[in-house]
Amino acid sequence: MLAGGTVTLIYLTTTVVLADVVGLPFQAALASGFCVALAVHFTLQRVFVWVHEAGFALPFHWQATRYLLFAGVQYGLTVASTSLLTPVLGLPTEVVYLATVVVIGVANFLMFRNRIFHPEQTGEEPACAPSELR
């Protein structure tokens, strides 16, 4: 949660400062904020958040590849939501952007835990085997 909060603060601050203080067009500020946050986020996730005693199931290059693909999808959704939903909903771009960040944050957690930074399988049976659940 601390890593996610830190990255969110960096992402939001960079984007909003570049757009509202520096005067960059919002989409350019969004791209800059996203790139800065991406580098910080991957590093924090791999080094602090998802460290496993058994190690990672995927080697670094596959983690980075999956991470960047997922990040590309996130970026596309963020661009689409801020450019398409803003006029439809009649809300300021920043409001749509903040709502999008919240929704994507939930998706991040699930994807990282299950598909990108998941642990190496140790070969041990789970505490409750699927056959016992029936």
Side-chain angles (χ1 to χ4, degrees), residues 32-86:
S32 299
F34 188 77
C35 288
V36 170
L38 200 64
V40 172
H41 191 253
F42 181 81
T43 302
L44 291 176
Q45 294 298 313
R46 192 166 200 294
V47 175
F48 296 109
V49 177
W50 298 107
V51 176
H52 307 286
E53 188 175 306
F56 292 113
L58 300 174
F60 177 85
H61 70 280
W62 284 117
Q63 283 180 331
T65 299
R66 286 184 181 190
Y67 182 88
L68 290 173
L69 287 171
F70 189 61
V73 169
Q74 290 177 351
Y75 183 75
L77 290 172
T78 304
V79 169
S81 71
T82 56
S83 59
L84 299 174
L85 291 179
T86 298

Side-chain angles (χ1 to χ4, degrees), residues 52-129:
H52 307 286
E53 188 175 306
F56 292 113
L58 300 174
F60 177 85
H61 70 280
W62 284 117
Q63 283 180 331
T65 299
R66 286 184 181 190
Y67 182 88
L68 290 173
L69 287 171
F70 189 61
V73 169
Q74 290 177 351
Y75 183 75
L77 290 172
T78 304
V79 169
S81 71
T82 56
S83 59
L84 299 174
L85 291 179
T86 298
V88 170
L89 298 174
L91 296 171
T93 303
E94 287 79 2
V95 171
V96 174
Y97 169 59
L98 292 172
T100 302
V101 168
V102 170
V103 171
I104 286 177
V106 173
N108 276 348
F109 175 80
L110 296 172
M111 181 63 78
F112 293 159
R113 181 180 68 176
N114 297 313
R115 298 287 180 232
I116 298 174
F117 299 110
H118 55 291
E120 183 76 42
Q121 294 297 324
T122 60
E124 299 174 7
E125 286 292 318
C128 182

